[in-house]
Amino acid sequence: MSRVIPMSEVANHKTKNDCWIAVDGHVYDVTEFLDDHPGGKKAILMCAGKDATEQFMMMHKPSVIVKHGEEFKIGSVAPQAKM
């Protein structure tokens, strides 16, 4: 079963040694991928700890996350509570 992770927890992981991003409702621990990212680690670190869906989709086809993201997926973004 997939872990449900609030964005407040994702926000705590925003360094080169501990880097999580959210894309299209899923959370990825991309720490080990930073050095291998073809666009360089800085491109990912700019979105670290955040929802990177918009930035990701501007630069990649949706098939990229399907093909390469599964090994880094650690859960799903928790639905936000309504006020």
Side-chain angles (χ1 to χ4, degrees):
M1 180 189 269
S2 182
R3 181 174 164 208
V4 178
I5 304 168
M7 283 304 298
S8 59
E9 184 176 347
V10 175
N12 293 326
H13 303 271
K14 56 186 176 189
T15 70
K16 65 180 181 179
N17 296 316
D18 183 19
C19 184
W20 292 9
I21 60 169
V23 176
D24 199 25
H26 300 283
V27 179
Y28 300 88
D29 180 346
V30 293
T31 308
E32 297 299 318
F33 178 67
L34 290 175
D35 288 331
D36 297 326
H37 184 248
K41 67 175 96 178
K42 186 176 179 182
I44 296 176
L45 287 170
M46 289 173 39
C47 298
K50 302 175 187 171
D51 185 336
T53 303
E54 186 176 333
Q55 294 84 350
F56 184 89
M57 295 303 179
M58 283 192 308
M59 301 300 295
H60 305 86
K61 294 179 182 178
S63 61
V64 171
I65 199 80
V66 173
K67 184 176 181 181
H68 301 289
E70 199 62 37
E71 68 180 294
F72 302 105
K73 188 187 303 184
I74 57 171
S76 299
V77 175
Q80 292 184 333
K82 294 183 181 181
M83 297 293 209

